Amino acid sequence: MAAFEKHLPPGTDIVSCHSLHGPGVDPKGQPLVLIQHRASQPSFNMVENMLSCLHSKHVRLSAEEHDRITADTQAVTHAAFLSMGTAWAAGKQFPWEIPRYIGGIENVKINVTLRIYSNKWHVYAGLAILNPSAKKQIRQYAESATELFTLMLNGHRKELRERVESAKAAVFDEGVDTDDLLLRDDVLDRFSLGELPPERVKNNHLSLLAMVDCWWKLGIVPYRHMICSTPLFRLWLGITQYLFRNPELLDEALNTAIEDPSFRSDDLHFVIAAQIWSELVRFGNMDGYRQKFEEIQNYFAPRFPGAIKIGNEMIKTILEKTGTG
């Protein structure tokens, strides 16, 4: 908006819009933010009427509200998936070939990560680096991942559980009816890039624990942003809730974090990756962001066609199941 104000004549009306979804998602029913920054009501009404053909759900915000909400929902969500992809590449892994990364919520992690890396780097760099509200969120995510991993590594079971339970209580208020977002394995299992193992392999889900810890530390209640949420954010929130609202699965994740060292190298790669992306954003390093993004993009490129097809089907099905499509 600062650029518009600087370069447009004073009498020019300014109305901005932002469709909160990618090009592979049907815009019908998806949020479309409209910002009446400097415009008469007739001018704003004209823009709104022009965009009505998309059949999206119009949301009116100020520019500041838009930046804060997109930082809370998009920037930090993208950072989590970018970090997962970077970690897998650093470990020379294709996760769909490893049983512990196949099935259930693991399918969301893999499919969305590949979906992001199949797109253009500048989409995510712009959301992270050019949004003044995003740096704090992305930095906190890296700090949350690092601190939780340190507790796991040192075997601090009591401290880890207390911290995770505190985050759960702050983010997943028991008084809030959010059952419509719950995802189920029988739905998610349909979207595997690899062959499902005979038995589900345990995972400590550091990326999800860190996300809820990050929301807690920043005072973010993600349900307040549902009116402006992207499909990817709803998926991400869905699988975090799936973990945190399932006591047995959460206990399993915490026990695995302390007792099973087989994830240590993967978790170390993930923590380092989260810190790398945070530093690139903190210093506004567009060139470094592009170089790192395209490096990982090239690593996963051979599987993009299949992943995009499955990912589109997964998003469509899950949004229908959760009543948000």
Side-chain angles (χ1 to χ4, degrees), residues 176-205:
V176 177
D177 182 11
T178 54
D179 287 344
D180 63 327
L181 283 178
L182 286 173
L183 304 178
R184 294 168 42 185
D185 277 335
D186 60 349
V187 175
L188 299 178
D189 280 346
R190 294 162 47 191
F191 303 104
S192 295
L193 285 176
E195 185 176 347
L196 288 171
E199 294 184 5
R200 183 177 57 81
V201 180
K202 297 177 182 179
N203 190 329
N204 63 37
H205 296 298

Side-chain angles (χ1 to χ4, degrees), residues 44-209:
F44 179 82
N45 293 342
M46 180 184 68
V47 173
E48 189 168 33
N49 289 335
M50 289 171 59
L51 294 172
S52 64
C53 63
L54 298 174
H55 302 290
S56 297
K57 181 171 55 180
H58 292 181
V59 181
R60 297 189 182 189
L61 296 175
S62 68
E64 293 76 17
E65 289 170 332
H66 166 270
D67 286 354
R68 187 183 70 254
I69 292 174
T70 52
D72 291 351
T73 58
Q74 293 189 58
V76 73
T77 302
H78 296 156
F81 288 112
L82 290 171
S83 298
M84 280 186 266
T86 303
W88 289 326
K92 300 294 190 290
Q93 295 178 342
F94 294 106
W96 53 85
E97 297 176 351
I98 304 172
R100 67 185 177 208
Y101 290 122
I102 299 176
I105 57 180
E106 305 299 339
N107 289 344
V108 175
K109 296 178 185 177
I110 293 172
N111 286 323
V112 174
T113 296
L114 294 186
R115 183 184 183 88
I116 286 175
Y117 276 109
S118 70
N119 291 321
K120 298 295 185 181
W121 69 274
H122 62 81
V123 174
Y124 307 102
L127 284 168
I129 294 175
L130 301 181
N131 185 342
S133 300
K135 294 181 180 180
K136 180 181 178 182
Q137 280 87 333
I138 294 172
R139 183 62 205 161
Q140 181 58 56
Y141 184 71
E143 290 178 357
S144 291
T146 301
E147 292 168 8
L148 290 173
F149 178 60
T150 301
L151 292 175
M152 295 175 184
L153 197 61
N154 291 328
H156 293 164
R157 185 189 300 269
K158 181 174 180 291
E159 293 86 345
L160 176 64
R161 179 171 290 278
E162 288 177 349
R163 180 158 177 167
V164 169
E165 291 292 345
S166 294
K168 174 185 175 183
V171 173
F172 298 102
D173 185 343
E174 295 298 329
V176 177
D177 182 11
T178 54
D179 287 344
D180 63 327
L181 283 178
L182 286 173
L183 304 178
R184 294 168 42 185
D185 277 335
D186 60 349
V187 175
L188 299 178
D189 280 346
R190 294 162 47 191
F191 303 104
S192 295
L193 285 176
E195 185 176 347
L196 288 171
E199 294 184 5
R200 183 177 57 81
V201 180
K202 297 177 182 179
N203 190 329
N204 63 37
H205 296 298
L206 175 57
S207 62
L208 300 180
L209 298 180

Side-chain angles (χ1 to χ4, degrees), residues 250-325:
L250 186 59
D251 283 343
E252 178 185 283
L254 295 176
N255 290 332
T256 301
I258 298 296
E259 300 168 2
D260 186 353
S262 63
F263 276 92
R264 293 288 187 263
S265 60
D266 288 6
D267 289 341
L268 177 60
H269 285 310
F270 176 77
V271 168
I272 292 172
Q275 293 172 344
I276 288 172
W277 287 110
S278 175
E279 291 301 286
L280 289 170
V281 171
R282 183 163 76 96
F283 291 112
N285 189 343
M286 282 285 192
D287 290 337
Y289 195 106
R290 177 176 186 172
Q291 183 178 354
K292 174 56 68 175
F293 187 98
E294 292 183 343
E295 173 190 330
I296 312 305
Q297 186 179 60
N298 291 333
Y299 178 79
F300 288 117
R303 290 304 296 263
F304 285 158
I308 292 172
K309 183 176 184 295
I310 292 176
N312 286 341
E313 293 172 357
M314 179 186 72
I315 288 174
K316 182 175 183 291
T317 299
I318 291 174
L319 293 184
E320 289 173 351
K321 292 286 184 181
T322 58
T324 52

